[in-house]
């Protein structure tokens, strides 16, 4: 049956991408029948005074009600999360989980300043930004309208969000956190006197082989030139 084929294909997706995407879809489904968005949004008073600690996680899982915005965000989350996990984080599951944790903590702290209650879109922007900086020579076809180098993709998404009438503050937050991660992980260790500041903690309990500084960038550069694993030109989902 068709659904069995879809399920089998989904099980081939890397673990972190599969888990995060499924959690987002299930959270939205639960809102349709069981929950209210008011039970999910980030509220520091309810987290630290009422011990509703699940809000630290659910604020990254809810992308709004079913509709164009939800499916648009899910397509980009699934696509670029998977490309990162199968690309520069291949064989480094613990490091990929740590990137999620690092980004989530930083977004939560910075989100307090901007009174941001749902941060899933910011996490998506971070994933896209990190992928784009590690894929500098890949050309992206944006909905068949524009073709540009990958590093421009986060800004194109922010402009598209602005055209839809959404606030770009969440996108800017994701881009900023993505840049901090990229700088600490890929840029600073390669500078004179630089060193790797982000170390995956052992409590994750996952085996990870940390790639040498700069190797992930080399992998994506080779792929973008037509090497195995990716095409030279990518098309944004429509």
């Amino acid at each position: 049956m068709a659904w069995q084929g879809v399920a089998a294909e989904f099980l081939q997706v890397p673990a972190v991408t599969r888990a995060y995407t499924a959690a987002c879809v299930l959270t939205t489904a639960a809102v349709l029948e069981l929950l209210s968005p008011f039970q999910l949004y980030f509220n520091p008073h309810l987290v630290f005074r009422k011990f509703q600690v699940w809000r630290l996680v659910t604020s990254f899982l809810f992308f709004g009600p079913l509709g164009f915005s939800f499916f648009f965000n899910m397509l980009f989350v699934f696509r670029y999360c998977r490309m990162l996990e199968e690309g520069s984080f291949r064989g480094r599951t613990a490091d990929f989980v740590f990137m999620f944790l690092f980004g989530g903590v930083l977004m939560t702290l910075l989100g307090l300043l901007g009174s941001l209650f749902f941060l899933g879109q910011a996490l998506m922007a971070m994933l896209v930004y990190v992928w784009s900086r590690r894929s500098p020579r890949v050309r992206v076809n944006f909905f068949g309208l524009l073709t540009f180098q990958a590093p421009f993709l986060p800004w194109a998404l922010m402009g598209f969000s602005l055209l839809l009438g959404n606030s770009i503050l969440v996108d800017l937050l994701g881009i900023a956190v993505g840049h901090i991660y990229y700088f600490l992980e890929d840029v600073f260790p390669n500078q004179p006197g630089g060193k790797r500041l982000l170390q995956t903690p052992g409590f994750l309990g996952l085996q990870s082989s940390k790639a040498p500084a700069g190797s992930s960038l080399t992998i994506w550069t080779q792929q973008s030139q037509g090497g195995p694993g990716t095409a030279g030109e990518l098309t944004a989902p429509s």
Side-chain angles (χ1 to χ4, degrees):
M1 296 179 66
W3 68 269
Q4 292 177 325
V6 173
E9 182 65 25
F10 187 67
L11 291 176
Q12 300 302 314
V13 175
V16 177
T17 301
R18 185 170 67 243
Y20 181 60
T21 305
C24 293
V25 173
L26 291 174
T27 299
T28 300
V31 169
L32 294 176
E33 297 291 341
L34 304 173
L35 302 175
S36 163
F38 293 105
Q39 296 173 280
L40 306 176
Y41 76 98
F42 175 66
N43 183 316
H45 173 77
L46 295 177
V47 171
F48 300 110
R49 298 291 181 86
K50 302 294 184 179
F51 304 107
Q52 297 181 9
V53 293
W54 65 83
R55 294 177 183 272
L56 294 171
V57 176
T58 55
S59 62
F60 290 95
L61 301 180
F62 185 64
F63 284 83
L66 287 178
F68 175 78
S69 180
F70 171 78
F71 290 107
F72 176 85
N73 285 319
M74 282 296 94
L75 282 172
F76 273 85
V77 165
F78 181 80
R79 181 182 180 89
Y80 292 99
C81 188
R82 181 175 186 176
M83 291 175 69
L84 277 174
E85 192 169 4
E86 292 181 338
S88 58
F89 285 99
R90 180 182 293 273
R92 302 169 54 208
T93 302
D95 296 335
F96 195 42
V97 172
F98 179 62
M99 187 190 78
F100 269 75
L101 293 175
F102 174 84
V105 170
L106 201 54
M107 287 177 201
T108 299
L109 294 175
L110 295 176
L112 289 172
L113 302 178
S115 298
L116 300 177
F117 304 118
F118 290 104
L119 299 169
Q121 189 173 335
L123 184 58
M124 180 199 73
M126 183 191 78
L127 293 171
V128 172
Y129 183 88
V130 173
W131 174 84
S132 71
R133 293 305 299 265
R134 290 181 170 180
S135 312
R137 299 185 184 182
V138 173
R139 294 183 63 78
V140 177
N141 188 313
F142 192 68
F143 296 108
L145 300 175
L146 298 171
T147 300
F148 43 76
Q149 301 296 110
F152 293 102
L153 180 58
W155 307 104
L157 288 175
M158 186 178 70
F160 187 71
S161 181
L162 185 63
L163 287 176
L164 293 178
N166 300 324
S167 171
I168 63 173
L169 188 59
V170 177
D171 297 270
L172 286 174
L173 174 61
I175 290 173
V177 173
H179 182 73
I180 292 171
Y181 177 84
Y182 172 76
F183 178 81
L184 294 177
E185 182 72 4
D186 291 21
V187 178
F188 183 67
N190 294 316
Q191 301 301 311
K195 62 179 181 179
R196 190 178 300 279
L197 298 178
L198 298 180
Q199 299 291 338
T200 302
F203 72 82
L204 289 175
L206 300 171
Q207 295 298 320
S208 172
S209 176
K210 178 71 78 172
S215 62
S216 58
L217 183 60
T218 302
I219 292 171
W220 281 102
T221 301
Q222 291 173 348
Q223 292 180 342
S224 66
Q225 292 174 334
T230 187
E233 180 171 315
L234 300 174
T235 302
S238 57

